Amino acid sequence: MSGGLLVAGTTSDAGKSVVTAGICRWLVRRGVKVAPFKAQNMSLNSFVTREGAEIGRAQAMQAQAARVEPSALMNPVLLKPGGDRSSQVVLMGKPVGEMSARGYHGGRQEALLGTVVDCLEQLRGTYDAVICEGAGSPAEINLRRTDIVNMGIARAARFPVLVVGDIDRGGVFASFFGTTALLSPEDQSLVAGYLVNKFRGDVSLLEPGLDMLLGLTGRRTYGVLPYTHGLGIDEEDGMGVPPARTQLRARGRVSTRGTVRESAVAPPHGEDVLRVAVCAVPLMSNFTDVDALAAEPGVVVRFVDRADELADADLVVVPGTRGTVKALAWLRERGLADALRRRAAEGRPVLGICGGFQVLGERIEDEVESRAGVVDALGLLPVRVRFGREKVLGRPVGSALGEPVEGYEIHHGVAEVSGGEPFLDGCRVGSVWGTHWHGSLESDGFRRAFLSEVARASGRRFTAAPDTSFGALREEQLDRLGDLIEEHADTDALWRLIEGGAPAGLPFIAPGAPEAGLSPRTDPRIGTDFSANEEAL
């Protein structure tokens, strides 16, 4: 059986995905056959494996970091939010239904533990090491009884746990200590130590705090990763890509080269830049589709939620969404629908992808996702969409604009195209394009041809760089993650953890938490009567 490690975090967005990918790339470069694993992911950014299974894009990215083909074993449970209180449950790559958060945590999640352990065991039988990513925080004590992704899977596999904290947010020492102290004694025995992420400045100034943390917890810090600009990788988004302007600006996490995240724009290859506006529709999914545009020198990508922000855009992208009818209503409420119609009438480029393609059509018949029945769409493309209960999952290959194209499909809506020019699986009318294919813009030749069309329609003297390889840029970023681990973590100590497990004799940090399955009222170490708060727990 192989070794392994669980990368947990003090919070969501602490850097678990990045660290997991970095460890995978470091290990594979030293000749270790390694696989990523996340028992349960909540994300609207997903990917389709070659066998037609839907998994989180973060796990597909981590598989690429490990230089292995992604599979459903690496992310057996995927939750795709459809609102604040419910999600589609995808099990082993296939949707099995919608469920409320209460229903899922009330029993369904716990029943899946056997499935996720079986998947992990299959990976351990094939690979030298499995690097698991946790979700949120392992110290969410209200959910510990049904946990299958943090300490639940660590305990089942007897994997050591490395807790990552984002020091850029502040409070990292309190977060490390509090996370550990809120775990039960058995869970604490697996927490081997900590990793500081996003540190700015002189590490020597941090070392006294790390020494004190060791004294307080008996656990060492395995590395301090510096704040590194432009590390744009495929991430999960949880519920966190809302349309609100402040949250978009704060949480925008797109672009392999940091173009959106940090507003760094490479000089154009030609005379002009191209400006791309992405409509930040509700429940936006697979917004990674625009990463390849942002990777092009001279292409500026931004997310927008107001009609006036489309005025200077050379291309508007209506991206995928988990709520097509909701996105359509949102576009109308904000005046973006009328702005898109004006653009089409003026011959100015618009691209709809997946749900964005569907809203550009004539009519949507939906008794599945929104159950809204027949809804008039924007009427920019001769397309009628009917939602089916079976989800279309695939990895299509084709050509467009004289160039080969690869992509992946994830949708319930089935499009009936009745006119226009063929465009992948969709169509084109004038300067309006629509397709269900995610990832098509990662095909370099097609992307350059498409941008040339956009430039002509916009009157821009933009020339796509002839040598931009999106795949090569992604590999460079994954190598940078591996470099961060190699250069700023104690890799010898990390390997000992992966190979041998958590050190013996790690001290217990009070107060701890009840063992999973015990009621707080009956745990002898807790005297408070929590009965009044039981509904909240």
Side-chain angles (χ1 to χ4, degrees):
M1 194 63 69
S2 71
L5 176 71
L6 174 71
V7 178
T10 56
T11 62
S12 296
D13 296 329
K16 299 182 293 292
S17 296
V18 169
V19 170
T20 300
I23 292 174
C24 285
R25 179 49 59 101
W26 157 63
L27 287 172
V28 76
R29 291 196 306 205
R30 64 180 286 174
V32 177
K33 189 178 180 184
V34 59
F37 178 77
K38 185 162 186 172
Q40 172 196 295
N41 198 344
M42 176 175 278
S43 179
L44 289 172
N45 278 343
S46 58
F47 182 77
V48 179
T49 68
R50 294 206 180 277
E51 68 266 28
E54 185 180 8
I55 65 172
R57 274 199 72 97
Q59 279 60 66
M61 174 274 298
Q62 290 161 357
Q64 186 173 355
R67 296 178 180 149
V68 297
E69 189 67 31
S71 80
L73 293 174
M74 297 172 184
N75 180 207
V77 182
L78 173 63
L79 306 179
K80 303 195 72 174
D84 291 337
R85 295 178 180 271
S86 67
S87 293
Q88 182 181 68
V89 180
V90 178
L91 179 62
M92 296 303 296
K94 305 296 180 184
V96 295
E98 297 279 334
M99 189 166 288
S100 69
R102 179 178 292 275
Y104 185 68
H105 290 289
R108 175 65 171 168
Q109 183 183 35
E110 191 174 15
L112 294 173
L113 181 60
T115 298
V116 302
V117 169
D118 286 346
C119 290
L120 178 57
E121 293 305 296
Q122 288 185 59
L123 291 175
R124 294 183 72 184
T126 305
Y127 294 90
D128 301 327
V130 180
I131 307 303
C132 305
E133 179 187 346
S137 162
E140 292 167 350
I141 54 178
N142 56 317
L143 303 178
R144 176 61 185 92
R145 182 181 62 81
T146 57
D147 170 48
I148 63 172
V149 65
N150 288 306
M151 301 311 300
I153 196 68
R155 192 186 290 192
R158 303 308 300 170
F159 274 2
V161 178
L162 182 70
V163 180
V164 178
D166 180 356
I167 197 170
D168 199 50
R169 296 182 173 199
V172 74
F173 293 117
S175 297
F176 283 146
F177 184 90
T179 296
T180 309
L182 282 175
L183 300 178
S184 68
E186 187 170 349
D187 285 350
Q188 284 194 27
S189 71
L190 297 175
V191 176
Y194 313 109
L195 186 78
V196 176
N197 191 29
K198 295 186 182 178
F199 179 71
R200 305 173 190 252
D202 185 344
V203 176
S204 66
L205 298 177
L206 189 67
E207 287 171 351
L210 301 179
D211 291 340
M212 286 186 275
L213 184 66
L214 173 62
L216 288 165
T217 67
R219 291 159 174 85
R220 56 165 299 180
T221 299
Y222 284 79
V224 178
L225 306 187
Y227 192 103
T228 305
H229 294 273
L231 277 182
I233 60 168
D234 297 348
E235 297 183 67
E236 58 191 69
D237 56 33
M239 295 286 285
V241 190
R245 171 180 308 277
T246 54
Q247 290 172 305
L248 275 171
R249 299 272 161 83
R251 297 177 61 95
R253 1 172 168 169
V254 180
S255 173
T256 296
R257 295 176 66 178
T259 306
V260 174
R261 190 181 311 186
E262 303 189 13
S263 300
V265 182
H269 184 72
E271 296 181 48
D272 287 344
V273 300
L274 276 185
R275 295 173 175 84
V276 179
V278 184
C279 295
V281 296
L283 298 173
M284 183 165 46
S285 62
N286 288 68
F287 55 80
T288 47
D289 282 331
V290 300
D291 281 0
L293 295 178
E296 282 287 346
V299 176
V300 184
V301 179
R302 67 184 188 275
F303 286 87
V304 303
D305 58 358
R306 292 192 333 217
D308 58 6
E309 293 179 299
L310 304 188
D312 66 344
D314 302 303
L315 170 67
V316 174
V317 177
V318 187
T321 172
R322 174 83 165 85
T324 301
V325 171
K326 182 180 292 187
L328 182 58
W330 182 88
L331 290 168
R332 286 179 168 136
E333 289 165 4
R334 292 177 172 263
L336 287 159
D338 289 338
L340 289 169
R341 289 194 185 96
R342 287 194 297 270
R343 286 187 66 88
E346 295 164 0
R348 303 177 67 198
V350 176
L351 171 65
I353 302 174
C354 200
F357 167 40
Q358 296 167 7
V359 304
L360 297 181
E362 297 171 344
R363 189 182 74 181
I364 297 168
E365 183 181 341
D366 181 12
E367 299 292 351
V368 176
E369 189 176 77
S370 67
R371 297 181 175 85
V374 177
V375 178
D376 288 334
L378 299 186
L380 304 185
L381 292 173
V383 175
R384 294 189 173 191
V385 175
R386 180 183 55 80
F387 273 67
R389 297 201 175 275
E390 293 296 318
K391 182 181 284 191
V392 177
L393 297 169
R395 292 278 292 271
V397 177
S399 63
L401 305 179
E403 297 288 344
V405 188
E406 295 183 13
Y408 57 98
E409 294 183 89
I410 307 169
H411 54 93
H412 283 277
V414 178
E416 179 187 328
V417 180
S418 59
E421 299 176 44
F423 178 70
L424 302 176
D425 70 329
C427 65
R428 170 188 182 179
V429 174
S431 60
V432 180
W433 294 266
T435 176
H436 275 129
W437 290 21
H438 294 290
S440 60
L441 293 166
E442 296 179 18
S443 298
D444 296 327
F446 166 71
R447 182 180 64 255
R448 286 192 279 269
F450 177 73
L451 290 176
S452 296
E453 290 273 315
V454 169
R456 275 195 294 272
S458 302
R460 295 288 185 188
R461 290 174 295 184
F462 168 86
T463 303
D467 56 351
T468 301
S469 167
F470 185 74
L473 289 170
R474 180 174 277 164
E475 277 296 304
E476 288 176 12
Q477 294 296 75
L478 295 173
D479 276 332
R480 290 180 69 195
L481 297 183
D483 293 343
L484 279 175
I485 298 298
E486 267 190 51
E487 296 168 10
H488 300 283
D490 185 338
T491 53
D492 289 340
L494 275 180
W495 179 246
R496 287 194 295 271
L497 275 186
I498 293 167
E499 197 173 36
L506 291 168
F508 170 72
I509 310 301
E515 280 297 323
L518 287 178
S519 163
R521 291 170 302 172
T522 61
D523 189 277
R525 294 180 294 112
I526 298 179
T528 305
D529 186 347
F530 281 85
S531 56
N533 294 324
E534 189 167 298
E535 182 67 20
L537 290 172

